C-alpha cells in the first residue's frame, strides 16, 4: 500500500483489479434519462451501475461532515471537487471488480479533465453513450420527478443551473470522446423503450 493510501485505495495509482474492466460512460444532461436507461441495461446485460450522483447522495445521507459539504454544493447544481467524486467511483469499482461484467459510469465525466483524470487513475472507456434530450424535455421530466423524488436539486432554479453547467462543461466531453470514435448518440426524446432499443443496439455493437 503506497504512502497516503490509508483506505487501501490509492487515488493516484491505477488498480490492478480494474485493468481489464469494461467501462462504459453514460453521459447526458440532467433529466435526459441516464439512470432510467442504466437500470434497463443492468436488467438485460448484468453490468454494474455506478451513478456518481447516487454515490454522492449516499454520502450526504450518511450525515458525515463531508456529506454536509457535498449537499451544499449539490443543491445548487454545482460540481463537487473532482478528486472527491473520482475516489468515490474508484472505491466503488474496486469493491465490485471481482464479480462485475463491466461498469456503467452514470453521470461521469462532467468535464473533460474529469475524463482525463479517470483514465490516468482507473482506465479508458470502450463506449460513451450520449443520452441526448432537448432542454425543455429535461426540464419537464425533472419538474415531474421533483414531485416525488425528494431530491434537493429537482427545483426549477437548480435545474436551470444544472442545465447551464451541462451545456458549458459537459457537452465538451462528448466532442473530446467523439475524436476517439467511441461515442454513440442516443435520441432520448421518445419513450423509455424506444430509447432503450437504441441503447441496446449500441451495446451489442461492442460484442
Ligand atoms: N424516455 C423517457 N420518457 C419519459 N420520461 C422519462 C424518460 N426517461 C426518463 N424519464 C423520467 O425522467 C426523469 C429523469 O430520468 P432519470 O432520473 O433517468 O434522468 P437522469 O439523466 O439520471 O437525471 P439526473 O442527472 O438528474 O440524475 C425520471 O422521473 C424518469 O422517470
Ligand atoms: N463534479 C462532479 N459532480 C457530480 C458528478 N456527478 C454528480 N455530481 C453532483 O451531484 C449532482 C447530482 O448528480 P446526478 O447525476 O444525480 O444528476 C450534480 O448536480 C452534481 O452536483 C460528477 O461526476 N462530477
Ligand atoms: Mg440520474
Amino acid at each position: 500500500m503506497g504512502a497516503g493510501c490509508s483506505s487501501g485505495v490509492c487515488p493516484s495509482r491505477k488498480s490492478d483489479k480494474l485493468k481489464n474492466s469494461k467501462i462504459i460512460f453514460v453521459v447526458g444532461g440532467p433529466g435526459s434519462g441516464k439512470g432510467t436507461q442504466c437500470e434497463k441495461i443492468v436488467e438485460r446485460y448484468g453490468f454494474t451501475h455506478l451513478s456518481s450522483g447516487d454515490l454522492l447522495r449516499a454520502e450526504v445521507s450518511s450525515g458525515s461532515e463531508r456529506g454536509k459539504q457535498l449537499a451544499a454544493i449539490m443543491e445548487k447544481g454545482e460540481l463537487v471537487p473532482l478528486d472527491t467524486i473520482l475516489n468515490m467511483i474508484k472505491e466503488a469499482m474496486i469493491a465490485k471488480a471481482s464479480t462485475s461484467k463491466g461498469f456503467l459510469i452514470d453521470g461521469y465525466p462532467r468535464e473533460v479533465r474529469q475524463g482525463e483524470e479517470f483514465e490516468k487513475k482507473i482506465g479508458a472507456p470502450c463506449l460513451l453513450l450520449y443520452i441526448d434530450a432537448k432542454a425543455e424535455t429535461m426540464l419537464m421530466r425533472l419538474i415531474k420527478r421533483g414531485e416525488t423524488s425528494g431530491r434537493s436539486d429537482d427545483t426549477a432554479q437548480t435545474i436551470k443551473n444544472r442545465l447551464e453547467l451541462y451545456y458549458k462543461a459537459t457537452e465538451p466531453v462528448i466532442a473530446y470522446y467523439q475524436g476517439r470514435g467511441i461515442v454513440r448518440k442516443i435520441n432520448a426524446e421518445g419513450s423509455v423503450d424506444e430509447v432503450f432499443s437504441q441503447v441496446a443496439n449500441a451495446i451489442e455493437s461492442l460484442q
Side-chain angles (χ1 to χ4, degrees), residues 35 106 145 151:
D106 168 4
R145 184 179 74 182
R151 282 181 50 161

Side-chain angles (χ1 to χ4, degrees), residues 14-23 89-97 103 121-123:
K14 280 193 176 182
S15 163
D16 289 343
K17 291 182 180 176
L18 299 176
K19 67 181 179 184
N20 298 318
S21 297
K22 179 184 281 190
I23 296 165
I89 292 172
K90 184 173 181 179
E91 284 183 21
M93 289 178 74
I94 288 171
K96 301 271 187 179
F103 292 97
K121 295 172 183 170
I122 299 174

Side-chain angles (χ1 to χ4, degrees), residues 30 34 51-54 56-57 73-74 77-82 85 89 106-111 114 145 151 153 162:
K34 300 182 297 297
S51 157
S52 49
D54 292 347
L56 291 162
R57 279 184 287 275
I73 296 169
M74 293 166 72
E78 294 168 0
L79 293 184
V80 303
L82 186 155
I85 186 60
I89 292 172
D106 168 4
Y108 185 105
R110 302 227 169 183
E111 48 190 358
Q114 283 190 3
R145 184 179 74 182
R151 282 181 50 161
D153 58 351
R162 296 177 65 207

Side-chain angles (χ1 to χ4, degrees), residues 89-188:
I89 292 172
K90 184 173 181 179
E91 284 183 21
M93 289 178 74
I94 288 171
K96 301 271 187 179
S98 57
T99 56
S100 178
K101 292 183 177 175
F103 292 97
L104 293 174
I105 307 299
D106 168 4
Y108 185 105
R110 302 227 169 183
E111 48 190 358
V112 172
R113 70 188 184 102
Q114 283 190 3
E116 292 166 337
E117 285 304 305
F118 185 102
E119 293 193 49
K120 277 183 206 158
K121 295 172 183 170
I122 299 174
C126 61
L127 173 67
L128 186 148
L129 290 172
Y130 168 27
I131 313 297
D132 180 36
K134 294 177 189 142
E136 51 270 30
T137 303
M138 294 191 274
L139 176 63
M140 179 193 68
R141 286 176 182 171
L142 290 184
I143 294 290
K144 185 161 182 295
R145 184 179 74 182
E147 291 166 7
T148 54
S149 69
R151 282 181 50 161
S152 63
D153 58 351
D154 277 348
T155 61
Q157 184 54 51
T158 301
I159 294 167
K160 181 176 171 293
N161 296 348
R162 296 177 65 207
L163 283 168
E164 278 172 16
L165 187 60
Y166 167 70
Y167 290 118
K168 179 168 166 258
T170 310
E171 278 210 323
V173 170
I174 308 295
Y176 178 79
Y177 283 102
Q178 255 157 355
R180 276 203 217 157
I182 63 164
V183 174
R184 297 294 176 273
K185 182 173 179 178
I186 305 295
N187 177 342

Side-chain angles (χ1 to χ4, degrees), residues 56-57 59-61 64-78 80 152-153:
L56 291 162
R57 279 184 287 275
E59 181 69 23
V60 170
S61 304
S64 67
E65 199 43 50
R66 182 170 76 162
K68 292 188 180 95
Q69 291 161 12
L70 291 171
I73 296 169
M74 293 166 72
E75 63 195 28
K76 289 183 282 186
E78 294 168 0
V80 303
S152 63
D153 58 351

